[in-house]
């Protein structure tokens, strides 16, 4: 799964990376502790043009009458996304990219304490999570919402968690965004083992209120 991630680059820089036009309404969450229900930067394609803009991280199916009318759908499993009523239409017609500079997973020690790990590309840069989106609500409640697609973890990340986000390489972006027709299902696979690195970080990130620039710093050697 993916329940927390980081995006430390400004929106305009990310939009340029994805060759997308940045929305005027670009009030998105940034920093090293982006959490569910926050507005996250997304990339989608309309009429052959890419657009970058905010969506609520937490997919709201059309039958929800309020934002809390059902479970918080921050992830969509690749194995069942095409058959789940909440996501079936979205994965066929409404796919997006969700940029990130890294994300987090947790293990537990012998006493059950949650130990956070930061996962990121070896050379830095930006990851592109596969996402699906849905416009929900009417009139003053109308908003775009999204979920991150997940798959089984690759062999390297299995030590931390059995799931991981679907991470798309630049050559796969046009297919996922629907710019090269249909048939995006084969893209929903684990990233190669060498595509990511990880290290332990401090437990401050366990709080969704944590902020600052040191959350992704590796723990000093010998720290438990």
């Amino acid at each position: 799964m993916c329940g927390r991630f980081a995006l430390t680059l400004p929106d305009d820089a990310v939009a340029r990376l994805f060759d997308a036009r940045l929305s005027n309404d670009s009030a998105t969450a940034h920093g090293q502790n982006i959490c569910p229900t926050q507005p996250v930067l997304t990339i989608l394609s309309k009429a052959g043009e890419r657009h970058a803009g905010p969506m609520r991280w937490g997919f709201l199916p059309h039958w929800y009458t309020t934002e809390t009318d059902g479970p918080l759908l921050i992830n969509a499993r690749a194995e069942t996304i095409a058959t789940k009523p909440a996501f079936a239409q979205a994965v066929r017609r409404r796919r997006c990219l969700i940029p990130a500079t890294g994300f987090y997973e947790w293990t537990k020690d012998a006493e059950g304490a949650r130990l956070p790990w930061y996962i990121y590309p070896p050379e830095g840069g930006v990851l592109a999570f596969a996402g699906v989106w849905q416009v929900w609500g009417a009139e003053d409640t109308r908003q775009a919402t999204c979920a991150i697609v997940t798959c089984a973890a690759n062999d390297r990340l299995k030590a931390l968690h059995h799931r991981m986000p679907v991470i798309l390489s630049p050559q796969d972006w046009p297919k996922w965004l629907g710019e090269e027709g249909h048939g995006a299902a084969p893209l929903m696979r684990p990233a190669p083992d060498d595509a990511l690195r990880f290290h332990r970080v401090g437990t401050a990130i366990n709080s969704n209120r944590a902020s600052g620039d040191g959350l992704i710093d590796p723990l000093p050697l010998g720290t438990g």
Side-chain angles (χ1 to χ4, degrees):
M1 65 173 294
C2 180
R4 209 84 64 80
F5 68 91
L7 182 62
T8 56
L9 296 176
D11 283 354
D12 57 350
V14 178
R16 286 195 298 271
L17 177 64
F18 287 87
D19 193 24
R21 176 179 292 184
L22 184 62
S23 165
N24 292 330
D25 180 18
S26 58
T28 59
H30 285 84
Q32 299 179 356
N33 189 18
I34 297 175
C35 303
T37 73
Q38 291 184 321
V40 299
L41 185 66
T42 62
I43 312 294
L44 54 82
S45 185
K46 293 182 178 179
E49 184 177 45
R50 292 181 185 174
H51 298 262
M55 294 188 190
R56 175 191 188 268
W57 183 20
F59 189 99
L60 295 172
H62 66 84
W63 60 83
Y64 279 24
T65 57
T66 69
E67 294 181 3
T68 58
D69 205 26
L72 182 60
L73 303 177
I74 62 171
N75 294 156
R77 294 175 64 94
E79 298 86 347
T80 58
I81 193 171
T83 57
K84 289 289 186 181
F87 302 121
Q89 290 298 318
V91 75
R92 293 181 179 90
R93 303 177 182 175
R94 296 186 301 277
R95 299 192 295 266
C96 63
L97 302 172
I98 300 173
T101 44
F103 63 102
Y104 299 90
E105 287 295 355
W106 281 259
T107 57
K108 290 184 178 181
D109 64 14
E111 286 72 43
R114 299 177 74 232
L115 309 177
W117 299 78
Y118 183 62
I119 306 161
Y120 54 96
E123 305 301 325
V126 175
L127 301 169
F129 297 153
V132 291
W133 62 277
Q134 165 82 40
V135 173
W136 175 87
E139 298 176 0
D140 59 336
T141 65
R142 190 171 179 82
Q143 60 182 308
T145 71
C146 65
I148 295 170
V149 182
T150 66
C151 61
N154 62 28
D155 288 341
R156 182 169 175 80
L157 288 189
K158 282 179 182 176
L160 305 183
H161 198 273
H162 66 286
R163 305 289 297 177
M164 68 180 293
V166 171
I167 298 170
L168 300 174
S169 59
Q171 61 265 30
D172 292 331
W173 297 348
K175 175 69 77 172
W176 185 256
L177 292 175
E179 297 167 347
E180 293 184 352
H182 304 289
L187 303 179
M188 293 187 285
R189 59 183 183 268
D193 288 346
D194 61 357
L196 298 166
R197 291 182 181 172
F198 54 83
H199 59 245
R200 268 287 314 280
V201 296
T203 55
I205 196 64
N206 290 357
S207 170
N208 59 12
R209 297 184 179 181
S211 62
D213 295 331
L215 298 175
I216 64 173
D217 292 351
L219 288 183
L221 292 176
T223 303

